[in-house]
Amino acid sequence: MTTNTAARRILPMNRNWLFGGPSRPGAMNANFDDSGFTKVTLPHANAVLPWHSFDESAYTFVSIYRRHFRLPETLRGMRIFADFEGAMTATKAALNGQPLGEYLGGYTPFSFELTPHLNWTGDNVLAAEVDSTERPDIPPFGGNIDFLTFGGIYREVSLRAVPPSHIADVFVQTFDCLSRPRLEVLCSIVPDGRGGTLRVELRRRGETLCAATRAYDPDASEIAVGLDDIQGVELWSPDKPVLYDLVCRLMPDGAPEDEYETRFGFREARFTPDGFMLNGAPLKIRGLNRHQTYPYTSGAMPRRVQRRDAQILKHELKVNLVRTSHYPQSRHFLDACDELGLLVLEEIPGWQHIGDGPWQDIAVRNVEEMIRRDRNRPSVVLWGVRINESQDSHDFYLRTNEAARRLDPTRQTGGIRYIYDSERLEDVFTMNDFDFPLRPPNHPLYLNTEFNGHMFSTKRFDQVERVAEHVLRHARVHNQLASDARYAGGIGWCAFDYNTHANFGSGDRICHHGVSDIFRIPKAAAGFYRSQCDPAEEVVLEPGFHWSSGDRSGAAGLGIVPVCSNCERLEYFIGGEKRGEALPSKDYGYLRHPPFLIDLGNLPLSPWGDLRIDGYIGGKKVISRTLSGRGVDARLAVEPDDLLLDGDGVDMTRVVLRVTDEFGNTRPFATGAISLAIDGPGEIVGENPFALAGGAGAVWIRAAFGAGAVTLVARHPYLGEQRVSLRVAAAAGEDI
Ligand code: GAL
């Protein structure tokens, strides 16, 4: 995270882009005709899509974007760059008709220098032609991939104005965090033939804790400065993610000319033969994989929505690690991981296929770009430097590992594979093992990076036996991982359902592999993850089934079904009559909070009624859940994630739509087309009317420019109307 300082200016440039749809000959030339272009704000998707069952031809095209701007006189004499955080998948840029170059890659940041072609007295036009086809010369393409990449300038853009001699990059390396914490700061600079001094300051919450200054030669391009013996350091951890700032000030000829700020944390993270150790203590990894894509707007989601995924993973799914499968993800998502204390395994773009020499060069470059971008993040504990699930490729992977170790000697490497006896050039053997029981660790440092997924694709509204088995499959794997310290842990496939190609998934362009659906609405299996937290954090009791007497194959009643809870004992009642008690299942005895298996038997159809489950800790009833036995769609629930949005034309929040029973439980087979009406400075992103799938779904509300109250009215065909109000607050304008 870099912020504005006295000298350098970072000028966000997300508003007032012009989007021309498919590009055409001459669109990048100097004679700009903007007719037919529409005004858009970044992040932007080149196509808004249905949430399922669409064809990739809807977004696989080359599109044209333009941005007009004028530069303030105050920036004259500085070098000006356009920094793109991510555009899918190849971007050619031109300024005032002068070509700036082409960048190949959809998940990594890139910059074009604008300085030589700038018009300082009038209008400038930055044009970008974004190729969102699946070009086989660029990772992850060239073979089949089980996800969609989508298109457009889907992350933010800014202008960066820096003095001729400036700081290019800062790497903050922490050492001896558990004994005598010290820093070694590696500062890359662009020299201009003058020597000077570099000052580094360690800060927390704006207060300087210590500082050091170092002289550098006229031709120096990398300056190392140490900060030793730092007193009173607080470590970064999942429970207390303490962050520090490091400020570097470049002073050629002794006068301050550039300043660069970056955020980091002190922590020691190592994979060892006894598992993963964080700050010297073992931490069993309980993680989930995340794809960055969403319904309707694909990858083009703003800061708030990106951060929300990290919050869901940390607070709703209670995992301690996320893998950014299969590419570097949004800085906003990763910022939230740093702030929330969610560990990250980050990897380069790719899926099973390895391309030719130039393709491999891009992949090696991706390693470098990913590491340079994210190596100061305390959340990142492992770099994935192989193409996910590819064959061995000795020379190629020597290169990716060398790049990772050169750019970041402080972290270990992994390389995600599915071939058990494949060559390990990485530090940690990171294995997608979809078998059960899992294979034993065959290397001293061993992490399971995927399990379940396609082996048991499950929808929220599947038949009850499948839903229950989905829960137990996740529980079984984590139980085995917990049984043996040599497993560092496991990262389930996956957190959220995702759109995919026709030759994967359930035939509807979705892999229903998530423990939550594509809208991030939890399935029953999410309850297993949630229940693994300490009851002091949250008492959890999540039924791993839906309440019915005849949805099972063969017999009436539900038989034995799981309940995920961190309670010590459960009691359960049907129609007010006690039917039994249960203790955590001994079959899952390695887990901190094994699921309970409650016997709902082969129910006679009478007595019948509501199912109530009470949870006890220390002999005290601490939670109670009731599932209605009436079989009636009782209510429409309309649940926005946020009630306050920024009026910047791009901020968004999810609104979950659910039909529930009278106790608030989602009715998994409820239907109904919900018509939506919005009033005020906001728009609906999603389908309207929205047809519920499995009793629930979601749309997003995007704030317009401006301020005011937004009211969303949702009407269900027979459950009536619900309205929610949000506020949009005026957002600061852009500098450019
Ligand atoms: C893995 C792959 C993932 C996903 C998963 C489905 O083989 O790495 O991307 O396709 O299977 O279970």
Side-chain angles (χ1 to χ4, degrees):
M1 199 174 69
T2 312
T3 45
N4 280 320
T5 62
R8 74 171 48 215
R9 300 285 308 278
I10 308 291
L11 306 165
M13 198 165 72
N14 298 311
R15 301 182 188 180
N16 298 318
W17 281 82
L18 297 171
F19 177 61
S23 193
R24 40 211 167 255
M28 303 271 277
N29 293 346
N31 304 322
F32 299 112
D33 172 7
D34 294 335
S35 54
F37 280 59
T38 45
K39 207 186 245 195
V40 299
T41 304
L42 309 183
H44 180 256
N46 68 355
V48 177
L49 300 158
W51 63 270
H52 65 126
S53 306
F54 56 85
D55 192 279
E56 53 280 303
S57 62
Y59 65 81
T60 45
F61 58 87
V62 182
S63 47
I64 177 76
Y65 290 82
R66 288 187 194 141
R67 177 62 156 81
H68 292 254
F69 64 94
R70 282 167 186 268
L71 283 176
E73 263 304 309
T74 47
L75 299 183
R76 236 194 235 263
M78 299 184 94
R79 288 177 67 182
I80 313 289
F81 296 84
D83 292 341
F84 288 73
E85 295 188 30
M88 196 63 75
T89 301
T91 306
K92 277 188 193 147
L95 183 72
N96 301 329
Q98 300 296 316
L100 301 171
E102 183 180 24
Y103 178 81
L104 307 183
Y107 297 98
T108 32
F110 54 95
S111 297
F112 294 110
E113 179 157 14
L114 309 184
T115 323
H117 310 297
L118 280 168
N119 174 1
W120 283 96
T121 52
D123 186 39
N124 289 282
V125 184
L126 176 63
E129 205 170 51
V130 180
D131 184 351
S132 303
T133 62
E134 302 194 352
R135 283 176 48 166
D137 56 329
I138 307 173
F141 303 121
N144 279 314
I145 61 170
D146 169 26
F147 57 97
L148 299 183
T149 46
F150 300 102
I153 307 180
Y154 77 105
R155 291 184 188 158
E156 288 87 345
V157 173
S158 48
L159 285 195
R160 175 168 40 102
V162 284
S165 175
H166 61 269
I167 297 169
D169 183 46
V170 173
F171 178 26
V172 186
Q173 297 171 90
T174 58
F175 296 100
D176 304 325
C177 291
L178 306 185
S179 47
R180 301 182 61 175
R182 63 188 176 87
L183 294 181
E184 192 157 311
V185 180
L186 221 52
C187 182
S188 311
I189 67 166
V190 176
D192 68 350
R194 293 177 295 165
T197 50
L198 178 78
R199 179 176 166 83
V200 300
E201 284 183 16
L202 174 64
R203 292 188 189 164
R204 186 165 172 207
R205 298 197 197 101
E207 189 193 326
T208 301
L209 304 178
C210 56
T213 304
R214 165 134 209 191
Y216 63 88
D217 296 334
D219 59 349
S221 59
E222 203 162 68
I223 311 162
V225 188
L227 278 177
D228 293 335
D229 233 347
I230 306 167
Q231 301 299 310
V233 161
E234 282 194 68
L235 298 178
W236 182 96
S237 72
D239 293 334
K240 198 165 180 220
V242 179
L243 295 167
Y244 289 81
D245 299 306
L246 199 285
V247 179
C248 288
R249 191 170 306 134
L250 191 68
M251 299 186 282
D253 293 337
E257 279 190 18
D258 190 22
E259 203 172 274
Y260 186 109
E261 183 171 333
T262 186
R263 197 169 70 166
F264 73 103
F266 291 90
R267 94 276 178 280
E268 196 180 272
R270 291 315 281 174
F271 288 82
T272 77
D274 299 318
F276 177 65
M277 299 282 171
L278 189 71
N279 297 333
L283 178 71
K284 186 67 89 174
I285 287 172
R286 189 177 65 249
L288 286 167
N289 285 274
R290 176 204 187 224
H291 267 303
Q292 69 175 10
T293 54
Y294 293 82
Y296 319 125
T297 58
S298 54
M301 278 295 194
R303 176 176 186 270
R304 183 187 306 277
V305 180
Q306 298 285 346
R307 294 176 64 87
R308 179 84 198 170
D309 264 8
Q311 288 156 2
I312 292 172
L313 286 154
K314 172 87 181 180
H315 296 308
E316 294 180 21
L317 300 171
K318 314 275 189 193
V319 295
N320 54 26
L321 182 142
V322 59
R323 170 173 166 227
T324 64
S325 51
H326 302 293
Y327 38 76
Q329 300 188 355
S330 156
R331 112 181 112 93
H332 302 301
F333 176 73
L334 295 169
D335 282 347
C337 293
D338 284 338
E339 291 162 26
L340 294 169
L342 181 59
L343 304 171
V344 176
L345 188 183
E346 191 173 26
E347 71 182 339
I348 52 171
W351 205 86
Q352 294 191 350
H353 166 82
I354 299 176
D356 59 9
W359 188 104
Q360 293 177 24
D361 292 344
I362 296 176
V364 174
R365 195 195 69 206
N366 286 163
V367 172
E368 296 172 348
E369 291 160 332
M370 169 179 80
I371 294 181
R372 278 189 203 285
R373 192 190 69 163
D374 292 326
R375 60 188 169 170
N376 293 334
R377 297 184 179 282
S379 59
V380 176
V381 293
L382 193 64
W383 300 120
V385 301
R386 279 172 81 110
I387 302 302
N388 173 65
E389 295 191 335
S390 53
Q391 304 294 309
D392 281 340
S393 183
H394 183 82
D395 293 345
F396 175 36
Y397 290 136
L398 276 181
R399 289 177 66 201
T400 58
N401 275 283
E402 182 283 322
R405 290 175 180 135
R406 171 169 42 82
L407 288 174
D408 182 7
T410 71
R411 285 182 185 80
Q412 292 160 304
T413 60
I416 287 82
R417 66 202 64 229
Y418 67 123
I419 302 171
Y420 191 57
D421 54 5
S422 49
E423 186 187 23
R424 181 179 68 90
L425 296 165
E426 298 74 23
D427 301 309
V428 185
F429 198 76
T430 40
M431 172 76 191
N432 293 350
D433 183 1
F434 286 90
D435 285 351
F436 191 82
L438 302 170
R439 279 169 268 201
N442 55 348
H443 289 275
L445 315 185
Y446 189 97
L447 173 69
N448 181 313
T449 35
E450 284 183 40
F451 53 87
N452 285 351
H454 63 284
M455 305 295 279
F456 208 73
S457 164
T458 304
K459 304 176 191 70
R460 268 191 303 102
F461 44 91
D462 266 328
Q463 194 229 11
V464 67
E465 284 155 274
R466 191 168 191 94
V467 167
E469 174 64 11
H470 190 221
V471 173
L472 292 177
R473 284 188 180 217
H474 280 274
R476 271 181 219 123
V477 171
H478 281 288
N479 187 53
Q480 187 179 346
L481 293 168
S483 73
D484 186 338
R486 292 173 306 157
Y487 293 117
I491 311 169
W493 190 267
C494 56
F496 313 120
D497 293 352
Y498 54 96
N499 291 125
T500 191
H501 287 99
N503 50 341
F504 295 93
S506 296
D508 58 352
R509 297 306 189 109
I510 294 184
C511 279
H512 296 267
H513 301 166
V515 299
S516 308
D517 71 13
I518 199 164
F519 301 104
R520 284 60 177 153
I521 299 171
K523 302 178 189 175
F528 165 71
Y529 284 87
R530 189 171 191 138
S531 69
Q532 295 309 296
C533 73
D534 194 301
E537 181 183 335
E538 184 188 357
V539 176
V540 178
L541 194 164
E542 293 290 336
F545 56 93
H546 29 260
W547 182 221
S548 58
S549 84
D551 195 38
R552 183 162 66 132
S553 333
L558 282 177
I560 295 175
V561 284
V563 178
C564 299
S565 175
N566 50 11
C567 289
E568 290 166 356
R569 187 172 64 83
L570 302 183
E571 292 186 7
Y572 48 102
F573 305 78
I574 297 173
E577 241 175 62
K578 184 159 175 181
R579 298 301 284 255
E581 298 195 1
L583 295 173
S585 167
K586 293 208 168 67
D587 298 348
Y588 301 84
Y590 292 105
L591 291 173
R592 180 125 38 100
H593 301 293
F596 294 73
L597 299 178
I598 65 171
D599 188 356
L600 294 176
N602 298 322
L603 290 175
L605 296 180
S606 167
W608 175 252
D610 299 343
L611 171 68
R612 193 182 97 217
I613 311 172
D614 296 341
Y616 287 80
I617 296 179
K620 255 182 60 189
K621 183 157 114 181
V622 287
I623 190 168
S624 180
R625 283 285 297 270
T626 304
L627 309 181
S628 175
R630 290 170 61 221
V632 167
D633 292 342
R635 282 186 207 134
L636 170 66
V638 179
E639 298 161 338
D641 285 339
D642 304 274
L643 296 178
L644 180 62
L645 295 181
D646 298 329
D648 60 1
V650 75
D651 195 11
M652 280 163 82
T653 192
R654 177 183 65 158
V655 181
V656 172
L657 307 166
R658 296 191 299 133
V659 165
T660 72
D661 66 13
E662 64 273 30
F663 302 106
N665 303 293
T666 304
R667 300 263 308 144
F669 307 123
T671 55
I674 299 183
S675 12
L676 302 162
I678 194 163
D679 187 43
E683 63 172 324
I684 295 164
V685 177
E687 290 164 27
N688 185 14
F690 181 86
L692 291 177
V699 296
W700 275 258
I701 289 181
R702 181 191 286 135
F705 293 102
V710 171
T711 307
L712 179 75
V713 182
R715 171 175 285 281
H716 185 275
Y718 51 91
L719 294 175
E721 181 177 291
Q722 292 288 337
R723 64 180 53 217
V724 292
S725 297
L726 285 76
R727 217 158 55 75
V728 173
E734 284 189 353
D735 295 329
I736 207 105

